[in-house]
Amino acid sequence: MSSTHGILLSPRPYARRSGKLLLLPLLPSPKPLRPLPSEEIALPLVYARVDLPTIISLERFQKRLHLAEQKWDSIRRIPYSTPGRWVQALDLSKLAFTGQVQALQFDSVLTSLFPLVPFLARLTINPSFVLSRRALASLGERDEAVNLRSLQGISYVSGPMVSWEHDPFIRILRNCVSLEELDVVCQGPDPAELEFNFHDAGDFPPQSFKPLILPRLKTLSLLSMFSSPLMMALLFSSLPSLRKLMLTPYDDIPYPSSLVSQFISTHGEMLQSLLLFTPKSWPTRLHPSPPTLLETSPYLRHLSLEQPIPALSLTGTHPLQFLSIPRPTSDLWHALETLLPRLPRLRVIRTRDIRWLRTGMNSRAQGAGVQGEMREWRKRLSRRGVRLLDADWSDTRD
């Protein structure tokens, strides 16, 4: 039994005179817990996703983390300093490139910053910046690189194939075994400006090459890249989870001078989305795509084609649902018309570079040029239950 002053025990409750004993506490009464300040809860959320649009804000961020790292000691229960260990995503895509001096400053800051963010999972960079070997080593050649899940906007300068062992990107990917998304833009000349000679390359792939281990890689983008040590390493490695692939086509350059068509054939079996795209530059050189895209990717759901549009070959039916083209033309319609009966699940055709005119324009403007072609396409496709969408994924313009 209890009372307001303490706890009473009755050792002989059925005796005539049992007596009662007062139970005394051995420990003092606990003090009420102090409520955590709101900033201690909010700060980890603030630092979890960092978006820095200027080089000044990036420098300040690095200095803050560096100062916190200097104050940290080994007596702490957690070996990583705060707020660096809270950072999970770092977005630098809005940081504009202004010159070589700024690029060197950018590279130096990142070289010092990467060791301070051990749990960094997502990194996005403006591809106008080319990271040096020291910055790439600071990012990927550390134990915490296993935490990286996504690398986007990374510029790549390809070296000679014979020196593949010294490629910094291959070294990074050997440590980033948990990587799920990789977006690389190659910075280099167009293959039309080069002379190809693979006689000095030896075995292909090299006998000493060990495949990469990337069991979680789902999305891969290699733009403006026709051949490189990085593409070679990915070509001859197993990518069991790859579902989305974006490449720049180079089907007019034979294998092994170009690895693109072979890459699609090797890794296309389980693809659900295949996007062929040539980044706009001056001068823009468009290369053809392989005509066997639907045959080498039997489970494809979304296919985005680049100019010149290939004459796709297909023997049976295909489960394709979304098809993207640069712009509609009469010649393309004649080629597509023979293919449509073999695409029974096709529901959407998107014109990637064209938008509908706004409503209110006169009928003459809406029926002229490419707008008139789009209206004709929409009429023909509607009979087959297929929608025609513009670059904004819209079937009309309000």
Side-chain angles (χ1 to χ4, degrees), residues 80-378:
Y80 304 107
S81 62
T82 57
R85 65 184 176 91
W86 293 334
V87 179
Q88 300 178 20
L90 181 60
D91 189 347
L92 305 175
S93 60
K94 299 177 184 177
L95 203 157
F97 178 85
T98 60
Q100 294 298 329
V101 176
Q102 180 222 28
L104 179 59
Q105 184 182 9
F106 177 82
D107 189 87
S108 300
V109 173
L110 287 187
T111 302
S112 304
L113 177 64
F114 288 145
L116 305 177
V117 286
F119 297 105
L120 182 66
R122 303 182 64 86
L123 174 64
T124 305
I125 297 178
N126 183 347
S128 299
F129 293 94
V130 180
L131 297 182
S132 66
R133 286 180 176 267
R134 61 170 185 166
L136 293 174
S138 177
L139 172 65
E141 296 184 18
R142 55 189 178 118
D143 295 337
E144 294 80 11
V146 69
N147 296 317
L148 285 170
R149 299 290 189 274
S150 174
L151 295 174
Q152 299 185 58
I154 309 298
S155 285
Y156 176 80
V157 179
S158 177
M161 193 69 71
V162 293
S163 59
W164 66 269
E165 294 179 342
H166 305 289
D167 190 280
F169 278 83
I170 295 180
R171 293 184 177 182
I172 288 180
L173 293 184
R174 292 201 184 280
N175 296 328
C176 301
V177 295
S178 302
L179 198 65
E180 299 176 0
E181 185 176 10
L182 178 62
D183 175 18
V184 178
V185 180
C186 187
Q187 305 289 346
D190 187 88
E193 304 174 5
L194 303 175
E195 294 183 2
F196 299 101
N197 183 9
F198 268 75
H199 297 293
D200 299 331
D203 296 330
F204 194 77
Q207 294 182 354
S208 58
F209 172 74
K210 295 182 180 179
L212 303 175
I213 301 176
L214 298 170
R216 300 182 181 179
L217 187 63
K218 300 177 182 179
T219 303
L220 176 62
S221 176
L222 303 174
L223 291 181
S224 300
M225 184 183 301
F226 62 93
S227 178
S228 69
L230 172 62
M231 180 173 278
M232 182 272 296
L234 292 168
L235 172 61
F236 295 105
S237 299
S238 176
L239 304 176
S241 300
L242 187 63
R243 296 297 180 268
K244 182 177 181 180
L245 178 62
M246 177 180 285
L247 297 171
T248 300
Y250 293 98
D251 195 55
D252 55 336
I253 303 175
Y255 176 86
S257 297
S258 171
L259 306 180
V260 175
S261 298
Q262 184 64 31
F263 200 98
I264 298 174
S265 299
T266 302
H267 296 297
E269 184 176 359
M270 300 303 296
L271 285 180
Q272 296 181 357
S273 180
L274 175 59
L275 313 176
L276 301 178
F277 177 72
T278 303
K280 300 301 183 288
S281 60
W282 191 90
T284 300
R285 294 185 175 93
L286 299 174
H287 298 266
S289 305
T292 58
L293 295 174
L294 296 178
E295 295 177 344
T296 55
S297 303
Y299 299 103
L300 210 58
R301 296 294 182 267
H302 181 200
L303 174 62
S304 181
L305 297 173
E306 179 61 285
Q307 296 282 15
I309 303 297
L312 296 175
S313 59
L314 185 62
T315 54
T317 60
H318 195 280
L320 189 70
Q321 298 177 5
F322 301 89
L323 176 63
S324 297
I325 59 175
R327 58 175 56 220
T329 63
S330 57
D331 293 339
L332 178 57
W333 172 257
H334 294 308
L336 183 62
E337 191 175 19
T338 59
L339 189 64
L340 286 176
R342 300 183 182 275
L343 304 176
R345 298 186 184 180
L346 187 66
R347 293 296 176 264
V348 170
I349 293 182
R350 173 177 175 248
T351 58
R352 192 177 62 231
D353 299 339
I354 305 298
R355 291 177 173 84
W356 293 106
L357 284 179
R358 295 184 179 274
T359 56
M361 301 293 292
N362 59 54
S363 58
R364 186 174 182 179
Q366 293 181 0
V370 68
Q371 292 293 321
E373 193 69 36
M374 289 184 66
R375 290 166 63 91
E376 186 65 27
W377 274 54
R378 182 169 61 179

Side-chain angles (χ1 to χ4, degrees), residues 28-75:
S29 300
K31 298 180 179 180
L33 296 177
R34 179 180 63 88
L36 288 175
S38 58
E39 58 268 16
E40 292 187 13
I41 302 176
L43 277 179
L45 299 178
V46 171
Y47 280 93
R49 298 180 179 274
V50 181
D51 187 348
L52 303 173
T54 64
I55 190 68
I56 296 178
S57 59
L58 177 61
E59 280 189 320
R60 290 175 179 174
F61 180 70
Q62 186 272 334
K63 290 179 180 178
R64 182 179 181 87
L65 267 58
H66 180 69
L67 183 60
E69 178 70 18
Q70 288 182 325
K71 295 180 179 179
W72 207 256
D73 54 60
S74 58
I75 304 178

Side-chain angles (χ1 to χ4, degrees), residues 9-21:
L9 297 180
S10 299
R12 301 170 60 191
Y14 298 105
R16 292 183 178 180
R17 299 176 181 177
S18 61
K20 296 181 180 180
L21 301 178

